[in-house]
């Protein structure tokens, strides 16, 4: 039996990815909560400040996508990737695109908001880019209820915690990044 302990902070979109994957795979998670403003225990465990940090059977794993992939290795069914090799490659490419390309604009926009530059030309460009990229999701969803057809995949788990802010928001969540997502989606 896999022992899964995950360190988290409140409202973390990346932690939500791990929660979704674990739930899909029927894995029980021992959640360890940390205050957002004190990540010293996270740093002591993993050598860095970002969450989630998972302890999987004693192995420390960082990065939400890496953790999700590790869960896929441990519990292959139900799979988080399409069985067809070309569809699997497309889902993997989507996850990489989302993490490297899509997330860049809202992160940069949040930094500008925090710096008091929310009305700058650069901020407006980033807001427009974020709006434009919503079309990628709309296009992918034309094929079914999920991004890659009629089954939940790693692509959905990767994107949902971020794009949900178009419609869902906890009023207690005041993180700038999430407010940017809410406003510009």
């Amino acid at each position: 039996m896999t022992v899964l302990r995950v360190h988290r902070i409140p409202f973390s979109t990346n932690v939500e990815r791990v929660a979704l994957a674990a739930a899909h795979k029927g894995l029980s998670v021992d959640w360890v909560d940390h205050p957002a403003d004190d990540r010293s225990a996270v740093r002591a465990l993993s050598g860095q400040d970002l969450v989630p940090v998972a302890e999987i059977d004693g192995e420390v794993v960082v990065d939400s996508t890496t953790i999700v992939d590790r869960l896929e290795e441990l519990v292959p069914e139900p799979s988080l990737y399409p069985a067809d090799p070309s569809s699997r490659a497309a889902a993997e490419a989507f996850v990489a695109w989302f993490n490297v390309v899509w997330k860049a604009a809202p992160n940069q926009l949040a930094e500008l908001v925090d710096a008091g530059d929310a009305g700058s030309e650069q901020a407006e460009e980033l807001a427009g880019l974020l709006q434009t990229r919503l079309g990628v999701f709309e296009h992918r969803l034309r094929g079914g209820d999920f991004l890659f057809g009629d089954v939940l995949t790693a692509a959905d788990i990767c994107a949902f915690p971020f794009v949900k802010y178009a419609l869902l928001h906890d009023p207690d969540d005041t993180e700038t990044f999430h407010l940017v997502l809410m406003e510009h989606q």
Side-chain angles (χ1 to χ4, degrees), residues 11 114 165 169-180:
F11 303 113
D114 283 340
Y165 283 93
H169 182 251
D170 184 326
D172 292 333
D173 180 359
T174 59
E175 184 170 328
T176 303
F177 179 70
H178 300 156
L179 298 174
V180 163

Side-chain angles (χ1 to χ4, degrees), residues 2-165:
T2 298
V3 176
L4 177 60
R5 179 178 296 117
V6 179
H7 298 262
R8 66 183 179 182
I9 62 168
F11 303 113
S12 170
T13 47
N14 290 316
V15 167
E16 188 173 350
R17 288 171 162 181
V18 173
L20 290 168
H24 182 66
K25 294 194 168 286
L27 291 170
S28 177
V29 179
D30 177 18
W31 295 104
V32 181
D33 294 325
H34 300 274
D37 60 351
D38 180 8
R39 301 185 194 203
S40 56
V42 170
R43 188 178 322 107
L45 177 64
S46 67
Q48 51 86 55
D49 289 342
L50 302 175
V51 293
V53 173
E55 295 176 80
I56 305 171
D57 294 332
E59 173 191 7
V60 176
V61 183
V62 298
D63 180 72
S64 61
T65 302
T66 303
I67 296 166
V68 168
D69 287 346
R70 185 75 176 97
L71 297 181
E72 180 75 358
E73 291 171 9
L74 290 169
V75 183
E77 295 298 329
S79 181
L80 290 173
Y81 289 95
D84 171 65
S86 64
S87 296
R88 181 183 177 102
E92 290 171 345
F94 177 90
V95 170
W97 169 81
F98 189 90
N99 285 332
V100 175
V101 176
W102 187 89
K103 282 177 62 175
N107 274 306
Q108 291 169 358
L109 187 51
E111 288 173 10
L112 290 172
V113 169
D114 283 340
D117 293 329
S120 70
E121 185 176 319
Q122 183 183 11
E124 293 300 321
E125 288 174 13
L126 290 166
L129 188 57
L130 191 52
Q131 277 288 314
T132 300
R133 288 187 176 151
L134 287 175
V136 171
F137 303 104
E138 294 300 327
H139 174 76
R140 292 289 334 150
L141 290 169
R142 286 187 195 135
D145 291 335
F146 299 95
L147 291 170
F148 282 83
D150 292 323
V151 296
L152 181 76
T153 68
D156 302 289
I157 285 172
C158 175
F160 177 76
F162 299 84
V163 298
K164 75 176 185 182
Y165 283 93

